[in-house]
Amino acid sequence: MHMIKLCVGVSSLAELESYRDERAHWWDADYGEDVHVHRTRMMPKRAAEMEGKASIYWVIAGQVVCRQPILRLARYTNAEGIDYCDIIMAPDMVRTLPYPKRPFQGWRYLRPEDAPPDVGANENAESLALAADLAKLGLI
């Protein structure tokens, strides 16, 4: 089971890559290793199915464009006693075939069979742009 999440306020994959490096420092979430952390309010009930096996698929500008492998999920409690979930991810961004996704709130589960495929290493920028345009038109 995977997770899918909107990148609110992020307009491109390049922007997400620069933004993610700062995120853990804002939350004082230093796990002492080269990982990226995203903090969310709810801990997945299916965490055992996800840790070390799943990815978080990022929706940017109305399309799923990449994924990050989820290494583990950690509970975090702030000074006011509010519980959160830290999604601890591998630093690698894996590009996916652009896939349209309507807005939603929070995160959602994503079944493996519904996840867009990874883009191959031999894909070039022109073919990715064409795929993104076709996805916007609902043709792929």
Side-chain angles (χ1 to χ4, degrees):
M1 188 59 60
H2 298 292
M3 182 182 282
I4 188 166
K5 179 116 176 71
L6 295 180
C7 279
V8 178
V10 175
S11 61
S12 70
L13 179 57
E15 187 177 349
L16 174 61
E17 287 177 323
S18 67
Y19 181 66
R20 69 180 177 176
D21 293 333
E22 302 169 8
R23 199 78 186 223
H25 302 294
W26 293 344
W27 290 325
D28 193 27
D30 184 5
Y31 286 91
E33 54 193 298
D34 185 22
V35 294
H36 293 136
V37 179
H38 179 76
R39 183 164 291 156
T40 187
R41 183 70 177 88
M42 302 301 294
M43 174 69 80
K45 291 181 179 15
R46 301 174 78 172
E49 294 176 55
M50 300 171 74
E51 292 182 311
K53 301 173 218 156
S55 291
I56 184 166
Y57 284 77
W58 293 109
V59 178
I60 299 174
Q63 294 185 342
V64 178
V65 297
C66 67
R67 68 178 179 85
Q68 278 184 281
I70 296 172
L71 302 174
R72 63 188 179 280
L73 302 166
R75 196 167 301 280
Y76 174 83
T77 305
N78 70 8
E80 290 81 35
I82 299 172
D83 289 330
Y84 293 91
C85 172
D86 280 356
I87 305 167
I88 303 163
M89 302 166 286
D92 305 322
M93 291 279 189
V94 180
R95 292 185 73 102
T96 64
L97 190 65
Y99 187 81
K101 186 69 177 168
R102 298 182 84 122
F104 58 92
Q105 190 171 359
W107 58 263
R108 299 284 185 264
Y109 290 113
L110 179 65
R111 297 181 313 184
E113 60 269 21
D114 295 334
D118 294 348
V119 171
N122 59 353
E123 298 290 332
N124 60 36
E126 290 175 3
S127 64
L128 289 175
L130 178 59
D133 290 342
L134 291 173
K136 284 180 187 175
L137 295 171
L139 300 173
I140 60 170

